[in-house]
Amino acid sequence: MKKIVGMLMGATLLLSACGTPGGGTAQNTESQKEADTVKIGLNMELSGTVAGYGNQEKEGAELAVKEINDAGGINGKKVELVVKDNKSDTAEAATIATSLTTSDNVIGMVGPATSGATKAASPNATKAKVPIITPSATDDSITVANDKIQEYIFRTCFQDSFQGVILANYASDNLKAEKAVIIGDVSSDYAKGLTKSFKDTFKGEIVADEKFNAKDKDFKAILTKIKDKDFDFIYLPGYYEEAGLIIKQAREMGIEQPIIGADGFSDSKLIDIAGAENMNNIYYTAHFSEKAPASDKVKTFIDAFKEEYGKSPSSFNALSYDSVYMIKGALEAEKENTSDALTKGLATLKDFDGVTGTMTMDENHNPKKPAVVIGLEKGEEKSAEVVNP
């Protein structure tokens, strides 16, 4: 199997080496220009451990495509969304990146949703010179690795270093907290990045730094160790599955201090797992809130989403919705529906008016945009504060 994979990667590398400067092979560029539709790939976690994120992003992307097509498409051509499930698996995400670029001839990809899957998909997309825009992969090294900007990788969300800074300052300034306990996932790039940024920024004392792995279920030993310590809050960088269990078990053990986390909390399954009665004094960074609209477009988006799906939109719905519209804006600015045009258009995107805020892409392919810190009581959003970079 390794030999076959190596041969395939070599063939892909050879094709990309024959590409035209700035994007795609000459043949692919011409076929993209002549295509009847604008093909956009969706490489998303639709099943597996973090399917909650992927399915929300699929909804947002599909709503955006529907609206764009109803309005006439992009540069006069309708959008075709090619949807594939990476099963929350990094190897599958990489395979799908290859199939979307070589077999489906997409001009760009939305997703994956998570940092690990996006990092796995990036080399194959880069070899094919087809840009990725990830709605929610926040690891700093996704767009800049080893001090080198990843030419074909962009994001709609803010990165981990920004979230860690926001949360550390929020704990000190808003919660007036001086002593922290960290309970962090050491198995994900996402959580490790958040932990580092928080530690580098928090001005108070870290009285305990506990660790867990994805798919752990029992956190009572960790919680017993910290229960009688003197601390003001728990910093919990991780995804909703483990975070929900930690919150539930902490509250059941009588640990009532605030718990703060990042955008991995932005899924209703967190409340399902933890139990609404345990979701008190919970704070997390988010990209979108109905209570703190970052754009005049928010109400129109909320109404359209509710009409389409019969529910209120989440941050992940909003991020993927914006991602598709950013592709539209980039292509229309370049007046051409090709991977090359999309890459150039995304790199120079300026003052894009999205539902998650007004964005300008910086030199590292990260959007300059505000964040929202959401507070929950009994599982319901009780506060939302916009924090500018």
Side-chain angles (χ1 to χ4, degrees):
M1 179 64 74
K2 288 182 180 177
K3 184 176 181 181
I4 294 172
V5 171
M7 291 170 64
L8 287 171
M9 289 177 68
T12 304
L13 194 59
L14 179 61
L15 284 172
S16 66
C18 299
T20 57
T25 64
Q27 183 178 358
N28 283 348
T29 300
E30 289 308 312
S31 63
Q32 289 172 354
K33 287 180 181 178
E34 295 169 4
D36 294 331
T37 60
V38 182
K39 281 190 175 184
I40 299 172
L42 192 74
N43 183 350
M44 204 58 73
E45 295 84 334
L46 303 179
S47 62
T49 55
V50 289
Y53 304 134
N55 282 289
Q56 290 176 72
E57 294 189 3
K58 178 174 177 284
E59 291 172 339
E62 288 179 338
L63 176 60
V65 168
K66 178 179 181 293
E67 290 179 353
I68 290 168
N69 284 340
D70 287 347
I74 299 175
N75 291 324
K77 292 185 178 181
K78 295 295 180 72
V79 177
E80 179 183 348
L81 195 64
V82 183
V83 179
K84 297 197 176 185
D85 177 14
N86 64 41
K87 303 174 185 176
S88 301
D89 180 80
T90 54
E92 188 68 17
T95 299
I96 285 175
T98 298
S99 68
L100 284 170
T101 57
T102 59
S103 300
D104 298 297
N105 197 28
V106 301
I107 67 165
M109 281 177 271
V110 175
T114 57
S115 294
T118 302
K119 289 169 80 170
S122 295
N124 292 346
T126 297
K127 288 172 186 175
K129 299 187 178 181
V130 174
I132 284 175
I133 181 164
T134 171
S136 54
T138 53
D139 187 315
D140 283 38
S141 65
I142 283 170
T143 56
V144 180
N146 300 317
D147 297 323
K148 182 181 178 182
I149 297 169
Q150 302 303 292
E151 184 178 357
Y152 298 96
I153 314 302
F154 303 84
R155 67 175 123 222
T156 312
C157 56
F158 38 71
Q159 64 267 41
D160 288 339
S161 58
F162 178 65
Q163 291 194 86
V165 169
I166 290 295
L167 289 166
N169 289 335
Y170 188 85
S172 298
D173 299 340
N174 296 67
L175 301 181
K176 308 302 180 186
E178 298 178 352
K179 296 180 180 181
V181 165
I182 299 174
I183 304 177
D185 180 355
V186 293
S187 61
S188 80
D189 294 332
Y190 167 74
K192 287 187 283 188
L194 285 165
T195 300
K196 181 181 184 305
S197 180
F198 179 87
K199 284 181 174 180
D200 289 346
T201 307
F202 185 57
K203 301 179 184 70
E205 178 186 356
I206 297 172
V207 301
D209 186 0
E210 302 294 334
K211 299 171 176 61
F212 67 90
N213 287 285
K215 299 185 180 179
D216 285 352
K217 302 293 184 185
D218 189 347
F219 302 94
K220 293 185 180 66
I222 289 175
L223 295 169
T224 298
K225 284 175 66 177
I226 70 162
K227 182 178 179 182
D228 294 327
K229 290 183 180 293
D230 178 18
F231 66 95
D232 299 317
F233 70 99
I234 294 172
Y235 178 58
L236 178 50
Y239 293 126
Y240 63 84
E241 285 197 325
E242 293 78 23
L245 290 171
I246 291 170
I247 291 169
K248 176 180 173 64
Q249 291 170 28
R251 295 307 190 226
E252 289 175 347
M253 291 176 65
I255 298 172
E256 299 296 337
Q257 286 96 328
I259 297 175
I260 68 175
D263 60 341
F265 282 25
S266 296
D267 191 289
S268 61
K269 291 184 179 65
L270 178 77
I271 300 168
D272 295 339
I273 295 167
E277 69 278 8
N278 297 313
M279 293 291 291
N280 299 307
N281 251 347
I282 308 294
Y283 302 90
Y284 66 95
T285 43
H287 308 262
F288 165 85
S289 170
E290 293 186 43
K291 292 183 180 297
S295 163
D296 292 339
K297 289 187 173 181
V298 170
K299 185 180 186 307
T300 302
F301 164 67
I302 291 169
D303 291 345
F305 191 91
K306 286 180 176 178
E307 182 177 349
E308 186 72 16
Y309 298 110
K311 60 183 179 180
S312 294
S314 69
S315 288
F316 292 99
N317 295 139
L319 285 168
S320 59
Y321 179 88
D322 274 352
S323 297
V324 174
Y325 271 103
M326 288 166 77
I327 290 174
K328 177 178 184 288
L331 291 172
E332 290 182 341
E334 296 297 318
K335 299 180 174 59
E336 184 177 280
N337 296 333
T338 65
S339 296
D340 183 29
L342 180 56
T343 303
K344 292 176 182 176
L346 287 173
T348 56
L349 197 69
K350 186 177 181 181
D351 297 330
F352 169 79
D353 188 17
V355 297
T356 61
T358 300
M359 291 173 262
T360 293
M361 199 67 70
D362 71 14
E363 66 276 11
N364 294 325
H365 294 182
N366 300 312
K368 296 178 181 177
K369 63 186 296 189
V372 179
V373 177
I374 290 175
L376 300 178
E377 292 293 332
K378 295 184 179 179
E380 295 184 359
E381 186 176 325
K382 291 298 183 184
S383 65
E385 299 176 64
V386 176
V387 183
N388 286 298

